[in-house]
Amino acid sequence: MDVVRLDAVAAGMEESVGGKAAGLGAMVALGERVPPGFCLTTDSYAAGEIPEDALLAAYRELGGGPVAVRSSATAEDLPEASFAGQQETYLNVEGEGALVDAVRRCWESLETDRARAYREANLPPGTEARMAVVVQRMVDAESAGVLFTADPTTGSRSRSVVDAVPGLGTAVVDGSVTPDHYVLEAGAHPEGPDDGCLSPGQLAELHAAGERLQHGLGAPQDAEWAYDRDGVLWLLQSRPITALFPLPAEPRRPGPRFYVEVGNIQGMVRPFTPVGMSMLEEAVERMFAVARLDDGVRDYVDVAAIGGRLFVDLTGLMRMPRVRPDLADSMTVYGPRVQAAVRRMAQDPRFTAVPPPGRFPVLPVLQLALRYGPSSVLACADVLARPEAARARARAGVAELRRHRGPGAEADAAERLRYLREDGFSAIYGPAIARVAMPTMVGVFLPMAVPALLKGVATAEEAAEVLAGAPHNITTEMDLELWRLAEGAAEHRDLLTGTDPGELAARYHAGTLPDIGLEGFLRRYGHRAGGEIDLGVPRWAEDPAPLFATIANYLRSDDPDQAPPRRFERAAARAEAAVADLSRRAVRARPVRGRVAAFLMRRTRELVGMRELTKFAWLIPYAEMRRQLLLAGAELADRGLLDAAEDIVFLDLDRARAAAERGVDQRDRVAEQKAFYTRELRRRHVPAAMLSDGTDVEALAPPLPASEGTLVGAPAAAGRATGRARVVLDPAGARIEPGEILVAPTTDPGWTPLFMTAGGLVTETGSAVAHGPTVAREYGIPAVICLSGATQTISTGDLITIDGGAGTVVVEEEADKTA
């Protein structure tokens, strides 16, 4: 079939007619006014020859005259990629010869350099595209433009945006003029120019059309439109708005809600797999159950999965008059981006007018405090008094967790999945973890107490120096051990630096690599990975390719003075000198308070490294839970309910159990979730805070002040460094030359081996007390966090200077983009 009329295009024909024609057909089916036309299908493109007889017959049936000839590729107008302007459109094409020529040029535009580059950047590898072509009667436009049924700048689904110009709307989409800009909200007077090209009645008509399109097509729409000389509205195109962050599920309580993203605290802004998010939600349920807190607490604070990321709903707390003024200051752990958003929303009347239903559940919280409070205080005091004994208890807890095992070979998939929800969680919340957690808690809070005691005696930067090179940090010990392993593998330098890390990993598992000691390293640390709090992510023991990439980085370092052990020793020496100096100054200024500060600084040095240990410990049974999950997946694949064992990570626990216990085929669900996960993996910006209508709260704030060439983030690890930037989106296979500044979306312990050769760190998200900045301080490298858009603003090869005390990045020299 070479030609299809637009009013005959139906759902499911996308592979024949492409994205644009499919959207036009959907609008026709909804009863919208669309210029008549037809589509030359992808069959003709595949054949490689324009079927002129069929094309010209359809043109004559349309009545001839001027038409618009527009590309409609199969990879066009998708929810994840609009392809706006990547292929060609020709307007006012008139005559049969001109029509054939315009179709040919549309075909050719599929393979231009810009179209190829766009596909490579925005679609999964191997995605094929074929070209269909839409031919429509031209509208003699008095005014035209674009309608977004959601605000593409803020993400708000409560607002529509219209850009309009007199005449054809091409001037809007090609950016050649400044259009009349209107903002429309239901029940509100339109915002926009009084003397613009649209009347209030036309704006109301456009708003209503947008509402119909969004409802009928099931997603916010980017629509092109035109008013003809008779004032009749024509809809020329509609496609999903790309890049909008997904909305939260319907909240338990009505009204606007305020959410903050918390995954970045653990260095996790990539999406969770469905099983990973399901496990987190299960963990929250267990936490509430262990604490014996009823659902009344959730009227004040709750968790939500949005776009595959973890958010906390703070609406109830925001509406508490006694809590709201100090809420932002109490959220240091969430980082400055979240704190700024909380302060902004604290001034919003939507979060002050309506208190949460019922009274705050004081009794359950008081019971919790009475049950655990006294023992926790005594335990913390014991940790402070005897830190070595506390560390010994913690090590014993880790050893006990290493002995934990799930069901054996005889277990079936249903038993293994029950284990995940029962015995697996019992290990995570059991007494072994409790022994580990207490020194971690003290290690987290001590760095907050010391600056307060040194107020008026030392600057914040001087106080932070106490934390550098701290001992007893399991993540630092892991990274240094990997460095020593690389040193011992120097005789295999050419093999390890000249072979792809994935190939090295495959050869390691096949037993065909020289023994460099990796097996012992994996016994101790193989349960870790980048994004390790997601159960769906492979552990290093399964895929050691990231470790081989890091070993290769280490082997390329040829400056002994910059070797990580020396850098760590220098950082520790500076910190010890800082403790001695600050202790003298504090005692001299305030004798009693100064002695307390001196004692706590020494204890901080002994205990701050312990903050990493609890996560390290609970990841041990977590790895066993993943092993059981994959064994269950293998059985379900054997039964034909999944295509592969690994596909089980794209199911939540309930759906996995439905497959195991009732034989429900989950292959279609897996395909759907894989597609969503793949789209979200490519997302470069995740809101630090958002409203339930999709508004990105940061987008409402004025830009931070910055001088030319200076980017402003937040300080995280003091010091200055100048070096070439290395932008890394995923630590797997990443290469960091000695002295380069690592620029990343976020970091977690799986990234920290890269710190060993990096000269500094810049991240888009985070908190000063998160894992990445903590390890950066211990290595003595400067770090700037919360620099929004850093991985897009900064390019690999740019010469940059970072100031980790001021939180700034200066681009000294841009890389040669043509090299």
Side-chain angles (χ1 to χ4, degrees):
M1 179 171 55
D2 292 322
V3 173
V4 181
R5 286 167 49 112
L6 290 181
D7 56 10
V9 172
M13 294 178 64
E14 291 82 1
E15 287 300 309
S16 293
V17 301
K20 189 176 276 95
L24 290 166
M27 287 198 294
V28 172
L30 290 174
E32 299 296 339
R33 188 181 294 108
V34 175
F38 61 89
C39 176
L40 187 68
T41 68
T42 59
D43 292 342
S44 302
Y45 178 81
E49 185 175 345
I50 297 175
E52 291 192 18
D53 291 344
L55 172 67
L56 297 180
Y59 176 59
R60 294 173 194 134
E61 184 181 343
L62 193 61
V67 293
V69 181
R70 314 170 75 192
S71 66
S72 181
T74 53
E76 197 167 348
D77 291 0
L78 302 174
E80 64 271 25
S82 70
F83 279 79
Q86 300 305 310
Q87 281 97 221
E88 295 297 343
T89 289
Y90 299 96
L91 303 180
N92 285 311
V93 176
E94 190 166 5
E96 295 183 354
L99 175 61
V100 172
D101 183 59
V103 168
R104 181 174 291 106
R105 284 184 287 163
C106 273
W107 278 8
E108 292 170 351
S109 70
L110 186 65
E111 297 303 330
T112 62
D113 289 343
R114 75 182 185 197
R116 284 176 176 272
Y118 186 92
R119 285 200 297 274
E120 290 172 3
N122 291 281
L123 296 178
T127 301
E128 294 184 2
R130 296 193 299 167
M131 179 67 81
V133 178
V134 170
V135 179
Q136 285 179 282
R137 178 159 304 288
M138 282 293 300
V139 174
D140 184 15
E142 182 173 38
S143 61
V146 178
L147 161 69
F148 284 87
T149 66
D151 187 333
T153 303
T154 67
S156 171
R157 272 63 157 194
S158 301
R159 312 171 77 186
S160 296
V161 175
V162 174
D163 282 347
V165 294
L168 293 174
T170 50
V172 174
V173 296
D174 67 17
S176 61
V177 301
T178 302
D180 296 334
H181 182 73
Y182 303 89
V183 177
L184 314 176
E185 286 191 69
H189 188 274
E191 299 175 23
D194 294 331
D195 58 350
C197 62
L198 295 179
S199 68
Q202 289 173 322
L203 290 169
E205 185 178 18
L206 281 168
H207 187 260
E211 292 286 302
R212 294 194 304 271
L213 289 176
Q214 181 165 293
H215 177 74
L217 301 178
Q221 296 292 302
D222 163 4
E224 295 181 18
W225 54 270
Y227 276 103
D228 66 18
R229 302 292 174 181
D230 297 322
V232 175
L233 173 63
W234 295 87
L235 297 180
L236 312 178
Q237 173 179 308
S238 191
R239 61 190 176 203
I241 301 176
T242 59
L244 287 177
F245 194 73
L247 286 174
E250 192 69 29
R252 300 188 319 132
R253 300 290 183 187
R257 313 297 296 180
F258 174 62
Y259 303 91
V260 300
E261 197 274 327
V262 297
N264 70 81
I265 299 174
Q266 295 290 340
M268 186 71 178
V269 291
R270 61 182 285 164
F272 283 83
T273 59
V275 77
M277 182 59 74
S278 182
M279 291 292 288
L280 277 182
E281 291 172 331
E282 187 81 15
V284 170
E285 294 295 330
R286 290 299 183 101
M287 192 165 55
F288 272 83
V290 167
R292 301 178 194 171
L293 296 175
D294 60 28
D295 275 352
V297 173
R298 296 194 175 184
D299 290 331
Y300 294 84
V301 59
D302 203 356
V303 297
I306 310 175
R309 281 85 176 178
L310 188 66
F311 285 74
V312 172
D313 183 349
L314 293 181
T315 310
L317 291 180
M318 290 284 288
R319 289 175 174 160
M320 294 179 70
R322 294 183 180 178
V323 172
R324 187 173 60 252
D326 301 317
L327 185 59
D329 291 337
S330 70
M331 297 180 67
T332 303
V333 70
Y334 290 91
R337 289 176 64 193
V338 167
Q339 287 182 294
V342 172
R343 290 189 182 97
R344 186 172 187 85
M345 287 297 103
Q347 307 303 315
D348 191 309
R350 288 174 293 180
F351 298 102
T352 60
V354 182
R359 294 179 177 274
F360 185 81
V362 174
L363 185 58
V365 174
L366 183 60
Q367 289 173 334
L368 179 66
L370 291 173
R371 186 161 67 249
Y372 295 112
S375 59
S376 296
V377 171
L378 290 173
C380 287
D382 183 57
V383 170
L384 281 171
R386 301 187 304 146
E388 179 51 46
R391 286 196 295 272
R393 289 193 297 271
R395 288 192 294 269
V398 169
E400 182 178 334
L401 290 168
R402 288 193 184 279
R403 293 191 290 271
H404 173 80
R405 289 291 182 273
E410 71 287 350
D412 61 17
E415 290 173 295
R416 297 188 194 282
L417 292 171
R418 280 195 295 273
Y419 156 79
L420 262 65
R421 273 191 160 139
E422 295 169 6
D423 291 350
F425 272 111
S426 296
I428 288 176
Y429 286 105
I433 285 287
R435 290 197 290 274
V436 177
M438 198 52 63
T440 293
M441 288 174 56
V442 177
V444 167
F445 288 113
L446 272 180
M448 301 178 189
V450 168
L453 290 168
L454 294 175
K455 192 172 183 179
V457 175
T459 65
E461 191 169 329
E462 288 175 318
E465 190 69 42
V466 171
L467 306 178
H472 313 302
N473 186 315
I474 191 68
T475 300
T476 303
E477 292 169 358
M478 174 188 78
D479 295 342
L480 290 172
E481 183 170 336
L482 190 61
W483 172 268
R484 288 190 290 269
L485 188 151
E487 283 186 312
E491 63 180 298
H492 306 295
R493 180 188 307 272
D494 291 345
L495 171 67
L496 296 171
T497 59
T499 308
D500 179 78
E503 183 182 338
L504 290 171
R507 291 175 62 177
Y508 169 77
H509 283 307
T512 59
L513 270 189
D515 182 8
I516 62 171
L518 187 63
E519 185 174 350
F521 180 89
L522 290 176
R523 276 198 301 272
R524 290 181 288 278
Y525 304 108
H527 61 289
R528 308 210 76 169
E532 59 198 359
I533 59 173
D534 182 353
L535 194 72
V537 171
R539 312 290 112 169
W540 283 337
E542 301 169 58
D543 179 16
L547 299 177
F548 282 113
T550 302
I551 289 168
N553 287 340
Y554 294 169
L555 288 171
R556 295 185 185 104
S557 178
D558 56 5
D559 184 353
D561 196 49
Q562 292 303 311
R566 294 193 184 182
R567 291 166 63 182
F568 186 76
E569 288 166 8
R570 289 196 297 268
R574 289 197 305 271
E576 293 294 344
V579 169
D581 176 53
L582 293 175
S583 296
R584 285 192 297 270
R585 287 158 55 183
V587 171
R588 193 163 52 241
R590 304 185 186 99
V592 175
R593 184 173 172 177
R595 285 182 172 83
V596 173
F599 171 77
L600 290 182
M601 279 190 285
R602 290 192 297 273
R603 285 296 186 261
T604 297
R605 294 286 303 156
E606 291 198 62
L607 291 165
V608 70
M610 299 296 289
R611 73 172 300 280
E612 296 285 322
L613 191 60
T614 298
K615 182 184 179 187
F616 175 89
W618 67 253
L619 284 168
I620 295 171
Y622 217 54
E624 174 64 10
M625 294 161 83
R626 176 174 166 83
R627 188 177 75 87
Q628 296 292 335
L629 178 74
L630 293 178
L631 287 170
E635 179 188 319
L636 298 181
D638 287 343
R639 290 163 58 185
L641 305 175
L642 298 175
D643 287 329
E646 297 79 9
D647 284 351
I648 197 170
V649 306
F650 294 102
L651 299 175
D652 61 34
L653 289 177
D654 288 336
R655 289 181 184 274
R657 289 187 67 175
E661 295 173 4
R662 303 198 305 277
V664 178
D665 189 333
Q666 299 288 9
R667 288 175 292 183
D668 288 345
R669 176 66 178 181
V670 165
E672 175 188 326
Q673 289 299 300
K674 272 186 180 178
F676 175 81
Y677 181 75
T678 301
R679 287 198 300 271
E680 286 301 312
L681 272 178
R682 293 196 297 272
R683 186 178 297 281
R684 299 292 291 272
H685 172 71
V686 176
M690 66 181 293
L691 305 183
S692 47
D693 70 353
T695 300
D696 183 339
V697 176
E698 281 187 294
L700 304 177
L704 291 169
S707 60
E708 177 124 11
T710 300
L711 309 173
V712 180
R720 287 171 60 87
T722 299
R724 296 290 176 183
R726 175 72 67 170
V727 178
V728 177
L729 303 181
D730 189 327
R735 174 175 175 174
I736 301 289
E737 297 290 349
E740 287 184 329
I741 310 296
L742 171 60
V743 181
T746 186
T747 57
D748 71 358
W751 289 73
T752 59
L754 298 177
F755 293 11
M756 303 288 259
T757 51
L761 172 68
V762 179
T763 66
E764 296 180 328
T765 65
S767 158
V769 298
H771 302 284
T774 296
V775 176
R777 288 191 295 268
E778 291 170 0
Y779 289 172
I781 63 174
V784 174
I785 62 173
C786 296
L787 203 165
S788 184
T791 60
Q792 294 164 294
T793 306
I794 302 170
S795 299
T796 293
D798 287 353
L799 183 67
I800 62 176
T801 296
I802 71 170
D803 187 328
T808 60
V809 176
V810 177
V811 180
E812 309 282 1
E813 173 190 301
E814 292 190 358
D816 182 359
K817 306 299 192 296
T818 63

